[in-house]
Amino acid sequence: MDLFGDAGFCFCAFAGWLDIAMVVVLCALLMAGYPVAFSLGGTALIFAVIGLAFGVFDISFLKPFPQRIFGAVSNTTLIAVPMFILMGVILEKSKIAEELLDEMAKLFGSLRGGLGISVTIVGALLAASTGIVGATVVTMGLLSLPTMLRRGYDPAFASGSIAAAGTLGQIIPPSIVLILLGDVISNAYQKAQLEQGVFAPETVSVGDLFAGALIPGLMLVGLYLLWQVFVAVTQPKKAPAIPAAEMGSRAEVWKAAMKTLPPPLILIIAVLGSILAGAATPTEAASVGAVGALLIAGLRLAPKGSILAGRPAVVTSAAAIIGLILLTSFLDLRLGRESVSGVESAGIALAFLLFALTPWGVIASFIQLRREKTLSAIVDQSARVTTMVFTILIGAALFSLVFRGLGGDDTVRAALEATPGGVLGAVITVMAVMFILGFFLDFIEITFVVVPLVGPPLLAMGLDPVWLGVMMAINLQTSFLTPPFGFALFYLRGVAPPEVKTSDIYRGAIPFIFIQLLALAILSVFPMLATWLPGVLYQ
Amino acid sequence: MLDLTGDILNWLAAGVVFPLMLLPLAALVFSARNSTLVATMLWAVLTALVAGAGVLFLTLAPRMEPALPGNAYWLAGFALLSAIIVAALGGPAKASGRLSVIAEPVVRVTGRIVMWLLILMALVQFAVVVLRYVFGVNFIFMQESITYMHGAVFLLAGGYALLTDDHVRVDIFYRGASKRKKALVDFIGSYLLLFPLCLLLFWTASPYVATSWSVGEGSAETSGIQGVFILKSFIPAYALLLAMAGFVIAARAGDILRERG
């Protein structure tokens, strides 16, 4: 129905451009600063109404909206997101990151550029355990930046190192971007195959993406380290060494490091290992990670003296969990089988005992966190971050429904197919668009809005979904670093001492942005870096 | 009750939630100089005009489903009810202040309660993992309970996160803006973007939820939790909590905007 009747013809030319106008208006509205999630949904609604008035939008496109929301509720992979957030917030609030940073600085500080190196390594470790950029950058900005400045580091170099190391959480699995991207890419992949007439489509899982991102992520760590060593060697003034005399004896440093390093390392290996080995889904591994983080926090905070609610409780629980894993790998403990041997029954009994022991340490950890008044802060922050992520998903769902209803799908496909240079041209265009959007938008918005649109046509061109996903993940990671609105830079600005100028932070990020682009280039020349590991693991 | 569920949701949205949403706007438009009665009447006219425009639009729009309003008498009754509430509370300006004093703790307390499900969810999932991988036992209701908790956390804490300003903004200009400009962005954003979105959620969710209620939709598994209709009801609850939080923010922003001029 066209409200403007015959007089409406002059609007029709305009009506065909509504999909593009919607994107432009969204960008303008976003700049005003109203929350992104509601800007997405509200803009979509405004354009749905305009489209209805011009008779170019079918209102039935809005009907699946509640189903989309329910889809986000019932999607078991997305449940990993709140649990990883919880795990990250526990590690942050219980100051485990601080301790790691302290130890690493002692280990590497006496080398030239050593403080920078320790920041990168801790960034990588934290990335592998949680992957919340804000938390990592803030922690390192508060702890390392003042030290580095005091030791005569160049402010730009120091802040660039910290911001870049903080963004590693986006690419090194398990990361929330990869979970969200995995979900979106697998939908896009199925859609692309269905459109090509493949009715038994292959799937991509979040596990595939995790495996695919591992080597490129480590490669990025390597590139960061190379750059830091290069700067330290060529411009020693920018990254001086701490005199060895101030560092205390090597033996003591190593002894202290041996105490703080293992728990987070075990956690990382357990979580990441179980996902990559295909033994557990990301959601399952995330719950183990959250409980593990809880126990580590409890161990750190617990007083030595108290037995019931202290370290013994936490250690017992942790040992019980490890015991359960060992027991399971040697014995078949499944219940309800026909024949159970004597050893196995004994094993089952022991396993029950161990299982019964785990709540002890968990409760003890709760008590410790509660006493430190951090428990409710942890839960509160995790819940708020979780609902923030999913509200953007809801807003973006409406946006993409309306965008489709206005014919935006065809516009995007036509634009990609018209790009000169075939598949390569299309990939470069999409990457460039995402890179530029990254200057203004957050990764969550780009993932939910852009990827569902460009994914199916790109994958229909025969690209490897894992490779594409990893490329996109690195691209999105870069968006954290690009001035003026890179979130890592924002977070760092928020905690950096006033003598560090904003321009220092921006300048410091630039070399790392080039490293990111270099990594993208390497990955496009050697796609094997992303596709080899998933191929080996999930053959 | 079955078909009624959807209608009641619609009537509540159109007759109570929607008119009350307009209070901060009315408070700003009709300054304190007007008497309570005059301001309330002006507000009622404004509501009727905006609602009329909406109904007209939806009637003109093709293939609208479900039709709004569900039943004109009920709708008029609810609208009258909300007008009485507003008059009793002392006109739009006072009513928006008083209602936000009620709405804010409701949204906050809901958020502060459901957030604990996050920990419970992780623990239950951990138990599921141990039971499954060690003992080879699956309890479907445990697995499903995680979905319920997940849905409850992110849907029912949505309004709370709006109050605590945790929804990401592109804050290049917003961050450095004056208090008044920020209030203006929040105020206009609420009316232009948030409230329409909440109403759309109500409108599209009502047939969806009503269908689910009418069959008492449960789990696909016999040993699962037979409460999918409750889980789906979190969607209109999410819309309501968001609208309430948006109301509080709009009322607060309106107060700042009214301070001068």
Side-chain angles (χ1 to χ4, degrees), chain A residues 31 33 36 59 279 284 287 335 379-380 384 387 390-391 485, chain B residues 63 115 118 125 132-133 135 154 158 160 166 168-169 172 196 238:
Chain A
M31 291 299 127
V36 174
I59 203 163
E284 292 168 342
S287 73
L335 304 174
V379 180
D380 190 47
R384 277 149 45 180
T387 179
F390 282 93
T391 303
F485 320 130
Chain B
R63 296 179 57 187
M115 72 183 195
L118 205 58
Q125 177 73 62
R132 176 164 159 210
Y133 287 98
F135 301 112
F154 89 79
Y160 172 58
D166 275 299
V168 179
R169 301 169 186 264
I172 335 134
Y238 170 72

PDB file of all heavy atoms in Angstrom, chain A residues 31 33 36 59 279 284 287 335 379-380 384 387 390-391 485, chain B residues 63 115 118 125 132-133 135 154 158 160 166 168-169 172 196 238:
ATOM      1  N   MET A  31      26.736   8.545  16.209  1.00  0.00           N
ATOM      2  CA  MET A  31      27.667   9.583  16.649  1.00  0.00           C
ATOM      3  C   MET A  31      27.093  10.411  17.800  1.00  0.00           C
ATOM      4  O   MET A  31      27.825  11.001  18.583  1.00  0.00           O
ATOM      5  CB  MET A  31      27.990  10.531  15.491  1.00  0.00           C
ATOM      6  CG  MET A  31      28.805   9.914  14.385  1.00  0.00           C
ATOM      7  SD  MET A  31      30.393   9.354  14.978  1.00  0.00           S
ATOM      8  CE  MET A  31      30.388   7.670  14.426  1.00  0.00           C
ATOM      9  N   GLY A  33      25.672   9.359  20.357  1.00  0.00           N
ATOM     10  CA  GLY A  33      26.074   8.762  21.623  1.00  0.00           C
ATOM     11  C   GLY A  33      24.991   8.013  22.362  1.00  0.00           C
ATOM     12  O   GLY A  33      25.198   7.598  23.496  1.00  0.00           O
ATOM     13  N   VAL A  36      24.339   1.931  21.465  1.00  0.00           N
ATOM     14  CA  VAL A  36      24.377   1.358  20.126  1.00  0.00           C
ATOM     15  C   VAL A  36      23.240   0.367  19.878  1.00  0.00           C
ATOM     16  O   VAL A  36      22.617   0.388  18.827  1.00  0.00           O
ATOM     17  CB  VAL A  36      25.735   0.657  19.917  1.00  0.00           C
ATOM     18  CG1 VAL A  36      25.763  -0.074  18.609  1.00  0.00           C
ATOM     19  CG2 VAL A  36      26.855   1.670  19.974  1.00  0.00           C
ATOM     20  N   ILE A  59       5.526  -5.815   5.997  1.00  0.00           N
ATOM     21  CA  ILE A  59       5.575  -5.843   7.460  1.00  0.00           C
ATOM     22  C   ILE A  59       5.840  -7.249   8.003  1.00  0.00           C
ATOM     23  O   ILE A  59       6.292  -7.410   9.140  1.00  0.00           O
ATOM     24  CB  ILE A  59       4.276  -5.248   8.044  1.00  0.00           C
ATOM     25  CG1 ILE A  59       4.526  -4.743   9.466  1.00  0.00           C
ATOM     26  CG2 ILE A  59       3.143  -6.242   8.032  1.00  0.00           C
ATOM     27  CD1 ILE A  59       3.475  -3.815   9.963  1.00  0.00           C
ATOM     28  N   ALA A 279      37.041 -32.589  22.881  1.00  0.00           N
ATOM     29  CA  ALA A 279      36.431 -33.345  23.972  1.00  0.00           C
ATOM     30  C   ALA A 279      35.227 -32.609  24.524  1.00  0.00           C
ATOM     31  O   ALA A 279      34.227 -33.222  24.888  1.00  0.00           O
ATOM     32  CB  ALA A 279      37.446 -33.592  25.083  1.00  0.00           C
ATOM     33  N   GLU A 284      30.836 -26.048  27.622  1.00  0.00           N
ATOM     34  CA  GLU A 284      31.252 -26.934  28.713  1.00  0.00           C
ATOM     35  C   GLU A 284      32.611 -26.509  29.257  1.00  0.00           C
ATOM     36  O   GLU A 284      32.812 -26.421  30.470  1.00  0.00           O
ATOM     37  CB  GLU A 284      31.303 -28.386  28.213  1.00  0.00           C
ATOM     38  CG  GLU A 284      29.924 -28.944  27.901  1.00  0.00           C
ATOM     39  CD  GLU A 284      29.965 -30.258  27.136  1.00  0.00           C
ATOM     40  OE1 GLU A 284      31.021 -30.580  26.535  1.00  0.00           O
ATOM     41  OE2 GLU A 284      28.952 -30.944  27.125  1.00  0.00           O
ATOM     42  N   SER A 287      32.463 -23.474  31.472  1.00  0.00           N
ATOM     43  CA  SER A 287      32.011 -23.669  32.850  1.00  0.00           C
ATOM     44  C   SER A 287      33.158 -24.211  33.701  1.00  0.00           C
ATOM     45  O   SER A 287      33.323 -23.815  34.857  1.00  0.00           O
ATOM     46  CB  SER A 287      30.812 -24.612  32.891  1.00  0.00           C
ATOM     47  OG  SER A 287      31.220 -25.939  32.646  1.00  0.00           O
ATOM     48  N   LEU A 335      27.919 -45.078  34.416  1.00  0.00           N
ATOM     49  CA  LEU A 335      26.944 -45.832  35.195  1.00  0.00           C
ATOM     50  C   LEU A 335      25.967 -46.518  34.246  1.00  0.00           C
ATOM     51  O   LEU A 335      25.898 -46.201  33.066  1.00  0.00           O
ATOM     52  CB  LEU A 335      26.176 -44.887  36.127  1.00  0.00           C
ATOM     53  CG  LEU A 335      27.033 -44.050  37.071  1.00  0.00           C
ATOM     54  CD1 LEU A 335      26.160 -43.069  37.827  1.00  0.00           C
ATOM     55  CD2 LEU A 335      27.762 -44.956  38.042  1.00  0.00           C
ATOM     56  N   VAL A 379      29.770 -10.714  40.067  1.00  0.00           N
ATOM     57  CA  VAL A 379      28.536 -11.170  39.446  1.00  0.00           C
ATOM     58  C   VAL A 379      27.829 -10.009  38.756  1.00  0.00           C
ATOM     59  O   VAL A 379      27.331 -10.129  37.635  1.00  0.00           O
ATOM     60  CB  VAL A 379      27.622 -11.810  40.508  1.00  0.00           C
ATOM     61  CG1 VAL A 379      26.346 -12.294  39.868  1.00  0.00           C
ATOM     62  CG2 VAL A 379      28.326 -12.955  41.176  1.00  0.00           C
ATOM     63  N   ASP A 380      27.821  -8.872  39.428  1.00  0.00           N
ATOM     64  CA  ASP A 380      27.156  -7.683  38.902  1.00  0.00           C
ATOM     65  C   ASP A 380      27.767  -7.276  37.565  1.00  0.00           C
ATOM     66  O   ASP A 380      27.073  -7.111  36.565  1.00  0.00           O
ATOM     67  CB  ASP A 380      27.311  -6.560  39.936  1.00  0.00           C
ATOM     68  CG  ASP A 380      26.447  -5.357  39.596  1.00  0.00           C
ATOM     69  OD1 ASP A 380      25.272  -5.561  39.284  1.00  0.00           O
ATOM     70  OD2 ASP A 380      26.969  -4.231  39.651  1.00  0.00           O
ATOM     71  N   ARG A 384      26.082  -7.446  33.736  1.00  0.00           N
ATOM     72  CA  ARG A 384      25.884  -6.246  32.940  1.00  0.00           C
ATOM     73  C   ARG A 384      26.565  -6.356  31.585  1.00  0.00           C
ATOM     74  O   ARG A 384      26.002  -5.966  30.555  1.00  0.00           O
ATOM     75  CB  ARG A 384      26.360  -5.019  33.710  1.00  0.00           C
ATOM     76  CG  ARG A 384      25.290  -4.536  34.673  1.00  0.00           C
ATOM     77  CD  ARG A 384      25.798  -3.894  35.924  1.00  0.00           C
ATOM     78  NE  ARG A 384      26.859  -2.941  35.718  1.00  0.00           N
ATOM     79  CZ  ARG A 384      27.441  -2.263  36.700  1.00  0.00           C
ATOM     80  NH1 ARG A 384      27.058  -2.437  37.941  1.00  0.00           N
ATOM     81  NH2 ARG A 384      28.404  -1.433  36.438  1.00  0.00           N
ATOM     82  N   THR A 387      24.427  -8.848  29.389  1.00  0.00           N
ATOM     83  CA  THR A 387      23.200  -8.313  28.804  1.00  0.00           C
ATOM     84  C   THR A 387      23.526  -7.247  27.763  1.00  0.00           C
ATOM     85  O   THR A 387      22.824  -7.109  26.761  1.00  0.00           O
ATOM     86  CB  THR A 387      22.247  -7.794  29.895  1.00  0.00           C
ATOM     87  OG1 THR A 387      21.100  -7.269  29.263  1.00  0.00           O
ATOM     88  CG2 THR A 387      22.853  -6.745  30.753  1.00  0.00           C
ATOM     89  N   PHE A 390      24.254  -9.179  24.510  1.00  0.00           N
ATOM     90  CA  PHE A 390      23.080  -9.780  23.893  1.00  0.00           C
ATOM     91  C   PHE A 390      22.065  -8.733  23.445  1.00  0.00           C
ATOM     92  O   PHE A 390      21.298  -8.970  22.518  1.00  0.00           O
ATOM     93  CB  PHE A 390      22.447 -10.808  24.834  1.00  0.00           C
ATOM     94  CG  PHE A 390      23.208 -12.104  24.839  1.00  0.00           C
ATOM     95  CD1 PHE A 390      24.205 -12.335  25.768  1.00  0.00           C
ATOM     96  CD2 PHE A 390      22.958 -13.072  23.885  1.00  0.00           C
ATOM     97  CE1 PHE A 390      24.929 -13.513  25.752  1.00  0.00           C
ATOM     98  CE2 PHE A 390      23.673 -14.250  23.862  1.00  0.00           C
ATOM     99  CZ  PHE A 390      24.664 -14.475  24.800  1.00  0.00           C
ATOM    100  N   THR A 391      22.050  -7.579  24.114  1.00  0.00           N
ATOM    101  CA  THR A 391      21.139  -6.532  23.659  1.00  0.00           C
ATOM    102  C   THR A 391      21.582  -6.004  22.302  1.00  0.00           C
ATOM    103  O   THR A 391      20.747  -5.704  21.435  1.00  0.00           O
ATOM    104  CB  THR A 391      21.063  -5.397  24.698  1.00  0.00           C
ATOM    105  OG1 THR A 391      20.646  -5.962  25.937  1.00  0.00           O
ATOM    106  CG2 THR A 391      20.077  -4.345  24.295  1.00  0.00           C
ATOM    107  N   PHE A 485      38.606   5.903  17.861  1.00  0.00           N
ATOM    108  CA  PHE A 485      37.655   5.277  18.787  1.00  0.00           C
ATOM    109  C   PHE A 485      38.031   3.853  19.174  1.00  0.00           C
ATOM    110  O   PHE A 485      37.172   3.089  19.573  1.00  0.00           O
ATOM    111  CB  PHE A 485      36.236   5.247  18.197  1.00  0.00           C
ATOM    112  CG  PHE A 485      35.863   6.488  17.473  1.00  0.00           C
ATOM    113  CD1 PHE A 485      35.331   6.442  16.203  1.00  0.00           C
ATOM    114  CD2 PHE A 485      36.058   7.716  18.067  1.00  0.00           C
ATOM    115  CE1 PHE A 485      35.005   7.596  15.527  1.00  0.00           C
ATOM    116  CE2 PHE A 485      35.734   8.874  17.395  1.00  0.00           C
ATOM    117  CZ  PHE A 485      35.211   8.812  16.125  1.00  0.00           C
TER     118      PHE A 485
ATOM    119  N   ARG B  63      -1.364  -6.009   5.707  1.00  0.00           N
ATOM    120  CA  ARG B  63      -1.105  -7.279   6.376  1.00  0.00           C
ATOM    121  C   ARG B  63      -0.594  -7.120   7.791  1.00  0.00           C
ATOM    122  O   ARG B  63       0.406  -7.693   8.186  1.00  0.00           O
ATOM    123  CB  ARG B  63      -0.082  -8.076   5.576  1.00  0.00           C
ATOM    124  CG  ARG B  63      -0.578  -8.470   4.210  1.00  0.00           C
ATOM    125  CD  ARG B  63       0.471  -9.227   3.454  1.00  0.00           C
ATOM    126  NE  ARG B  63       0.893 -10.408   4.211  1.00  0.00           N
ATOM    127  CZ  ARG B  63       1.888 -11.164   3.849  1.00  0.00           C
ATOM    128  NH1 ARG B  63       2.590 -10.868   2.792  1.00  0.00           N
ATOM    129  NH2 ARG B  63       2.218 -12.223   4.556  1.00  0.00           N
ATOM    130  N   MET B 115      21.113 -11.551  38.412  1.00  0.00           N
ATOM    131  CA  MET B 115      22.552 -11.663  38.122  1.00  0.00           C
ATOM    132  C   MET B 115      23.172 -12.878  38.805  1.00  0.00           C
ATOM    133  O   MET B 115      24.108 -13.470  38.300  1.00  0.00           O
ATOM    134  CB  MET B 115      23.281 -10.387  38.513  1.00  0.00           C
ATOM    135  CG  MET B 115      23.417 -10.177  40.001  1.00  0.00           C
ATOM    136  SD  MET B 115      24.212  -8.595  40.361  1.00  0.00           S
ATOM    137  CE  MET B 115      24.639  -8.820  42.088  1.00  0.00           C
ATOM    138  N   LEU B 118      23.881 -16.225  37.087  1.00  0.00           N
ATOM    139  CA  LEU B 118      25.090 -16.403  36.286  1.00  0.00           C
ATOM    140  C   LEU B 118      26.043 -17.407  36.949  1.00  0.00           C
ATOM    141  O   LEU B 118      26.579 -18.301  36.296  1.00  0.00           O
ATOM    142  CB  LEU B 118      25.757 -15.040  36.139  1.00  0.00           C
ATOM    143  CG  LEU B 118      26.644 -14.787  34.950  1.00  0.00           C
ATOM    144  CD1 LEU B 118      25.887 -14.993  33.676  1.00  0.00           C
ATOM    145  CD2 LEU B 118      27.142 -13.360  35.020  1.00  0.00           C
ATOM    146  N   GLN B 125      26.333 -26.055  34.961  1.00  0.00           N
ATOM    147  CA  GLN B 125      26.982 -26.539  33.746  1.00  0.00           C
ATOM    148  C   GLN B 125      28.201 -27.400  34.101  1.00  0.00           C
ATOM    149  O   GLN B 125      28.444 -28.425  33.486  1.00  0.00           O
ATOM    150  CB  GLN B 125      27.402 -25.360  32.867  1.00  0.00           C
ATOM    151  CG  GLN B 125      28.160 -25.748  31.605  1.00  0.00           C
ATOM    152  CD  GLN B 125      27.271 -26.385  30.557  1.00  0.00           C
ATOM    153  OE1 GLN B 125      26.332 -25.778  30.044  1.00  0.00           O
ATOM    154  NE2 GLN B 125      27.544 -27.639  30.231  1.00  0.00           N
ATOM    155  N   ARG B 132      28.406 -35.976  32.851  1.00  0.00           N
ATOM    156  CA  ARG B 132      28.379 -36.519  31.509  1.00  0.00           C
ATOM    157  C   ARG B 132      29.692 -37.213  31.153  1.00  0.00           C
ATOM    158  O   ARG B 132      29.703 -38.336  30.656  1.00  0.00           O
ATOM    159  CB  ARG B 132      28.091 -35.398  30.520  1.00  0.00           C
ATOM    160  CG  ARG B 132      28.146 -35.860  29.103  1.00  0.00           C
ATOM    161  CD  ARG B 132      27.492 -34.888  28.174  1.00  0.00           C
ATOM    162  NE  ARG B 132      28.009 -35.137  26.835  1.00  0.00           N
ATOM    163  CZ  ARG B 132      28.126 -34.208  25.917  1.00  0.00           C
ATOM    164  NH1 ARG B 132      27.754 -32.984  26.186  1.00  0.00           N
ATOM    165  NH2 ARG B 132      28.608 -34.506  24.744  1.00  0.00           N
ATOM    166  N   TYR B 133      30.806 -36.524  31.435  1.00  0.00           N
ATOM    167  CA  TYR B 133      32.080 -37.083  30.975  1.00  0.00           C
ATOM    168  C   TYR B 133      32.633 -38.134  31.921  1.00  0.00           C
ATOM    169  O   TYR B 133      33.349 -39.029  31.501  1.00  0.00           O
ATOM    170  CB  TYR B 133      33.106 -35.965  30.768  1.00  0.00           C
ATOM    171  CG  TYR B 133      32.803 -35.152  29.543  1.00  0.00           C
ATOM    172  CD1 TYR B 133      32.134 -33.947  29.645  1.00  0.00           C
ATOM    173  CD2 TYR B 133      33.148 -35.613  28.271  1.00  0.00           C
ATOM    174  CE1 TYR B 133      31.823 -33.204  28.520  1.00  0.00           C
ATOM    175  CE2 TYR B 133      32.841 -34.885  27.143  1.00  0.00           C
ATOM    176  CZ  TYR B 133      32.182 -33.679  27.271  1.00  0.00           C
ATOM    177  OH  TYR B 133      31.872 -32.957  26.149  1.00  0.00           O
ATOM    178  N   PHE B 135      30.621 -39.887  34.570  1.00  0.00           N
ATOM    179  CA  PHE B 135      29.694 -40.970  34.883  1.00  0.00           C
ATOM    180  C   PHE B 135      28.797 -41.353  33.705  1.00  0.00           C
ATOM    181  O   PHE B 135      28.009 -42.282  33.806  1.00  0.00           O
ATOM    182  CB  PHE B 135      28.822 -40.579  36.075  1.00  0.00           C
ATOM    183  CG  PHE B 135      29.623 -40.282  37.310  1.00  0.00           C
ATOM    184  CD1 PHE B 135      29.693 -39.000  37.822  1.00  0.00           C
ATOM    185  CD2 PHE B 135      30.330 -41.287  37.949  1.00  0.00           C
ATOM    186  CE1 PHE B 135      30.439 -38.721  38.944  1.00  0.00           C
ATOM    187  CE2 PHE B 135      31.075 -41.025  39.077  1.00  0.00           C
ATOM    188  CZ  PHE B 135      31.141 -39.736  39.582  1.00  0.00           C
ATOM    189  N   PHE B 154      20.185 -12.484  30.682  1.00  0.00           N
ATOM    190  CA  PHE B 154      20.423 -11.401  29.734  1.00  0.00           C
ATOM    191  C   PHE B 154      19.151 -10.645  29.372  1.00  0.00           C
ATOM    192  O   PHE B 154      19.202  -9.476  29.015  1.00  0.00           O
ATOM    193  CB  PHE B 154      21.225 -11.877  28.519  1.00  0.00           C
ATOM    194  CG  PHE B 154      20.461 -12.415  27.358  1.00  0.00           C
ATOM    195  CD1 PHE B 154      19.838 -11.566  26.460  1.00  0.00           C
ATOM    196  CD2 PHE B 154      20.420 -13.767  27.118  1.00  0.00           C
ATOM    197  CE1 PHE B 154      19.168 -12.070  25.365  1.00  0.00           C
ATOM    198  CE2 PHE B 154      19.749 -14.275  26.024  1.00  0.00           C
ATOM    199  CZ  PHE B 154      19.117 -13.416  25.153  1.00  0.00           C
ATOM    200  N   GLY B 158      18.532  -6.582  31.290  1.00  0.00           N
ATOM    201  CA  GLY B 158      18.710  -5.588  30.231  1.00  0.00           C
ATOM    202  C   GLY B 158      18.380  -4.171  30.687  1.00  0.00           C
ATOM    203  O   GLY B 158      19.129  -3.230  30.438  1.00  0.00           O
ATOM    204  N   TYR B 160      18.278  -3.124  33.775  1.00  0.00           N
ATOM    205  CA  TYR B 160      19.225  -2.754  34.831  1.00  0.00           C
ATOM    206  C   TYR B 160      20.506  -2.178  34.227  1.00  0.00           C
ATOM    207  O   TYR B 160      21.027  -1.150  34.684  1.00  0.00           O
ATOM    208  CB  TYR B 160      19.510  -3.991  35.685  1.00  0.00           C
ATOM    209  CG  TYR B 160      20.608  -3.844  36.697  1.00  0.00           C
ATOM    210  CD1 TYR B 160      20.548  -2.851  37.670  1.00  0.00           C
ATOM    211  CD2 TYR B 160      21.699  -4.700  36.694  1.00  0.00           C
ATOM    212  CE1 TYR B 160      21.551  -2.718  38.608  1.00  0.00           C
ATOM    213  CE2 TYR B 160      22.700  -4.581  37.631  1.00  0.00           C
ATOM    214  CZ  TYR B 160      22.627  -3.581  38.581  1.00  0.00           C
ATOM    215  OH  TYR B 160      23.630  -3.455  39.502  1.00  0.00           O
ATOM    216  N   ASP B 166      25.508   0.739  31.097  1.00  0.00           N
ATOM    217  CA  ASP B 166      26.487  -0.241  30.631  1.00  0.00           C
ATOM    218  C   ASP B 166      26.314  -0.605  29.168  1.00  0.00           C
ATOM    219  O   ASP B 166      27.105  -1.371  28.643  1.00  0.00           O
ATOM    220  CB  ASP B 166      26.403  -1.515  31.474  1.00  0.00           C
ATOM    221  CG  ASP B 166      27.231  -1.391  32.724  1.00  0.00           C
ATOM    222  OD1 ASP B 166      28.451  -1.221  32.589  1.00  0.00           O
ATOM    223  OD2 ASP B 166      26.666  -1.440  33.830  1.00  0.00           O
ATOM    224  N   VAL B 168      26.893  -0.124  25.498  1.00  0.00           N
ATOM    225  CA  VAL B 168      27.972   0.602  24.825  1.00  0.00           C
ATOM    226  C   VAL B 168      27.445   1.782  24.016  1.00  0.00           C
ATOM    227  O   VAL B 168      26.453   1.668  23.307  1.00  0.00           O
ATOM    228  CB  VAL B 168      28.714  -0.328  23.856  1.00  0.00           C
ATOM    229  CG1 VAL B 168      29.810   0.403  23.130  1.00  0.00           C
ATOM    230  CG2 VAL B 168      29.274  -1.497  24.595  1.00  0.00           C
ATOM    231  N   ARG B 169      28.123   2.905  24.138  1.00  0.00           N
ATOM    232  CA  ARG B 169      27.820   4.068  23.316  1.00  0.00           C
ATOM    233  C   ARG B 169      29.033   4.376  22.455  1.00  0.00           C
ATOM    234  O   ARG B 169      30.158   4.085  22.839  1.00  0.00           O
ATOM    235  CB  ARG B 169      27.565   5.301  24.187  1.00  0.00           C
ATOM    236  CG  ARG B 169      26.453   5.189  25.173  1.00  0.00           C
ATOM    237  CD  ARG B 169      26.532   6.387  26.101  1.00  0.00           C
ATOM    238  NE  ARG B 169      25.575   6.312  27.200  1.00  0.00           N
ATOM    239  CZ  ARG B 169      24.382   6.894  27.182  1.00  0.00           C
ATOM    240  NH1 ARG B 169      24.003   7.597  26.149  1.00  0.00           N
ATOM    241  NH2 ARG B 169      23.573   6.783  28.221  1.00  0.00           N
ATOM    242  N   ILE B 172      32.312   9.483  21.256  1.00  0.00           N
ATOM    243  CA  ILE B 172      33.271  10.513  20.843  1.00  0.00           C
ATOM    244  C   ILE B 172      32.798  11.894  21.247  1.00  0.00           C
ATOM    245  O   ILE B 172      33.533  12.679  21.816  1.00  0.00           O
ATOM    246  CB  ILE B 172      33.445  10.576  19.310  1.00  0.00           C
ATOM    247  CG1 ILE B 172      33.106   9.245  18.712  1.00  0.00           C
ATOM    248  CG2 ILE B 172      34.785  11.090  18.930  1.00  0.00           C
ATOM    249  CD1 ILE B 172      32.217   9.389  17.519  1.00  0.00           C
ATOM    250  N   PRO B 196       9.992   3.169  20.781  1.00  0.00           N
ATOM    251  CA  PRO B 196       9.414   2.448  19.644  1.00  0.00           C
ATOM    252  C   PRO B 196       9.865   0.992  19.602  1.00  0.00           C
ATOM    253  O   PRO B 196       9.079   0.093  19.306  1.00  0.00           O
ATOM    254  CB  PRO B 196       9.932   3.219  18.429  1.00  0.00           C
ATOM    255  CG  PRO B 196      10.235   4.579  18.924  1.00  0.00           C
ATOM    256  CD  PRO B 196      10.672   4.404  20.348  1.00  0.00           C
ATOM    257  N   TYR B 238      11.309  -8.406  29.160  1.00  0.00           N
ATOM    258  CA  TYR B 238      12.493  -7.636  28.766  1.00  0.00           C
ATOM    259  C   TYR B 238      12.072  -6.273  28.219  1.00  0.00           C
ATOM    260  O   TYR B 238      12.616  -5.232  28.611  1.00  0.00           O
ATOM    261  CB  TYR B 238      13.230  -8.450  27.705  1.00  0.00           C
ATOM    262  CG  TYR B 238      14.352  -7.781  26.967  1.00  0.00           C
ATOM    263  CD1 TYR B 238      15.558  -7.511  27.599  1.00  0.00           C
ATOM    264  CD2 TYR B 238      14.244  -7.471  25.612  1.00  0.00           C
ATOM    265  CE1 TYR B 238      16.614  -6.936  26.905  1.00  0.00           C
ATOM    266  CE2 TYR B 238      15.288  -6.903  24.918  1.00  0.00           C
ATOM    267  CZ  TYR B 238      16.465  -6.637  25.566  1.00  0.00           C
ATOM    268  OH  TYR B 238      17.501  -6.076  24.878  1.00  0.00           O
TER     269      TYR B 238
END
